[in-house]
Amino acid sequence: MGCGLCQGVAGEARLRVEWDEQGAYRPHVLTDLDPPTQAAIRAVCPGLRMQLPAPVSRAAGGMNDLIFGHVERMVEAYAADPEIRFASSSGGILTALAVHLLETGCVQAVLNVAASPDHPARSISHVARDRAGALAAAGSRYGPAAPLLRLHELLDAGEPFAVVGKPCDIAAVRNLARRDPRVGRLVVALLTVMCGGQAEMPFIWELLARQGVTEDELESFRCRGNGCPGPTAFETRDGRRFAFTYDEAWGDSIHEWGLPFRCKICWDSQGEQADLMSFDSVAPEHVEGESEGFNTVLVRTSRGGGLFREAEAAGAVVVTRDVGLDALHQWQPHIVRRRQNALSRVTGTALRSGVLPNVDGYRLLRAARTGGLRGFAHNAVGAWKRAGRARESMPSR
Ligand SMILES: Cc1cc2nc3c(=O)[nH]c(=O)nc-3n(C[C@H](O)[C@H](O)[C@H](O)COP(=O)(O)OP(=O)(O)OC[C@H]3O[C@@H](n4cnc5c(N)ncnc54)[C@H](O)[C@@H]3O)c2cc1C
């Protein structure tokens, strides 16, 4: 999946997660890995294991939804600081929470992703230590990202920190917590986005190529932000500037992005292992002509609830209203469909590849029942075929 965690587990001298010419972060094994290291990697890899921990699935109170999981509280909100709200992807809640955690001394660092200084269309693992650092990482980056490449650096430093990442990144940190007690002691909050999947780099290269620009010429590249959703904007070192609306750049369906195969079979787009998630508020009144963004915030754990209440009380975030689960089903139909199809796709993939990931706790059978038998068969066969093609196109290393 390219999250970067296996590098920290095996050690950089033995395994490096590196950017390859196909535009993806992939693990490169440098020396023979002994069986315990291989087992440790398999145990933490979110590609193989996204397993809902019992305390999250069984938390008392709140609401439980078959598709979206356990929800303690769901509201519409935005960052009180206008600079944060403007620079961020939607309402700036994730950046506001990062700044709040840093400025109140709850954490010394926030692990997230930001544009690479050398190749701004690429994303690098980034550590924010203050407001400026958090702002530098604001905004969704839809291409490949390996936020966990620097996770072990923070664990080794022994200081409290928070992690912002996609649901798969968060699941990887939860996997590591089962083996490494430092995670439980030092990771103060796990924050995520609703994730329709990441765009493959060739999609971004093509976006640049249509304007006659190559990646090497870029001075800056943003997928969105600076308004909501804000322009997809890039600038070359020789001063050419380009800006596109969200629809012009990304199309009206996430399926046009060339999602990696693993994203298509993902069973946790809704980040059930996080403490809190923040995503687009696509309430009809915010979709047309809205330049000030709003987030829907979904609190999953009491730790996430405590953090959000403190940020609200401190005036870092502004809550506008409660949101119900019905709205979520309406606003995120692609996420609903993906969960309904997850079991069939994982099954089709497993039959073809022999790899059966751990999906415990995600209620996939019950979700599949709501999708119908025909849909199940169609998706299982589709995944079986695509798993074959995905395997053929994998690099041999
Ligand atoms: C790949 C991807 C797919 C998404 N799909 C959906 C969707 O289907 N539906 C929906 O409602 N919302 C989706 N979102 C979320 C949405 O784009 C916003 O990120 C979300 O609304 C959070 O807004 P914010 O203003 O609170 O974020 P901000 O305050 O701008 O903070 C965003 C944070 O996310 C981190 N981040 C950005 N990109 C990545 C990445 N690739 N990997 C790890 N961390 C990252 C940044 O470092 C930053 O800390 C997706 C986001 C991503 C990255």
Side-chain angles (χ1 to χ4, degrees), residues 88-96 112-114 137-143 145 147 164-166 169 193-198 224 254 257 278-280 295 332 334-335:
S88 298
S89 221
S90 329
I93 287 293
L94 292 177
T95 304
N112 51 27
V113 307
S140 293
R141 301 195 53 86
Y142 289 137
V164 183
K166 296 179 298 302
D169 305 320
V193 294
M194 184 78 75
C195 185
Q198 68 184 18
R224 58 184 283 188
I254 206 159
W257 293 12
S278 166
F279 47 101
D280 288 313
N295 288 113
Q332 305 282 341
H334 57 304
I335 302 292

Side-chain angles (χ1 to χ4, degrees), residues 244-397:
F244 301 92
T245 65
Y246 185 91
D247 286 349
E248 283 168 351
W250 305 97
D252 57 9
S253 160
I254 206 159
H255 298 288
E256 295 168 23
W257 293 12
L259 299 186
F261 180 70
R262 178 59 181 74
C263 290
K264 290 181 183 161
I265 66 164
C266 189
W267 55 99
D268 192 16
S269 309
Q270 40 283 77
E272 288 197 46
Q273 302 207 38
D275 292 309
L276 178 148
M277 58 191 304
S278 166
F279 47 101
D280 288 313
S281 185
V282 285
E285 62 272 30
H286 299 324
V287 175
E288 291 299 329
E290 180 62 67
S291 60
E292 289 196 310
F294 292 83
N295 288 113
T296 303
V297 176
L298 197 156
V299 173
R300 292 215 177 269
T301 64
S302 43
R303 189 165 75 162
L307 163 62
F308 194 68
R309 267 195 312 277
E310 280 161 31
E312 201 181 339
V317 303
V318 177
V319 172
T320 44
R321 59 171 167 163
D322 287 332
V323 179
L325 280 163
D326 287 354
L328 209 50
H329 279 257
Q330 251 175 44
W331 297 344
Q332 305 282 341
H334 57 304
I335 302 292
V336 175
R337 276 195 304 277
R338 187 169 300 150
R339 178 59 71 87
Q340 287 172 325
N341 294 330
L343 183 65
S344 52
R345 292 178 179 181
V346 167
T347 307
T349 307
L351 288 173
R352 186 67 181 260
S353 66
V355 178
L356 182 62
N358 186 328
V359 300
D360 287 355
Y362 279 97
R363 315 167 301 281
L364 298 193
L365 182 57
R366 284 172 57 210
R369 285 205 185 111
T370 65
L373 199 56
R374 256 178 91 165
F376 188 94
H378 175 76
N379 277 282
V381 171
W384 187 85
K385 286 184 184 156
R386 285 181 187 156
R389 288 205 293 272
R391 202 155 67 159
E392 279 154 25
S393 66
M394 283 296 281
S396 52
R397 277 184 289 179

Side-chain angles (χ1 to χ4, degrees), residues 142-184:
Y142 289 137
L148 304 185
L149 270 176
R150 295 183 66 185
L151 183 79
H152 278 76
E153 174 189 321
L154 293 176
L155 290 174
D156 293 344
E159 297 166 340
F161 64 99
V163 179
V164 183
K166 296 179 298 302
C168 49
D169 305 320
I170 301 301
V173 179
R174 293 271 191 203
N175 287 344
L176 185 67
R178 294 190 188 96
R179 305 181 64 91
D180 188 336
R182 295 177 302 171
V183 176

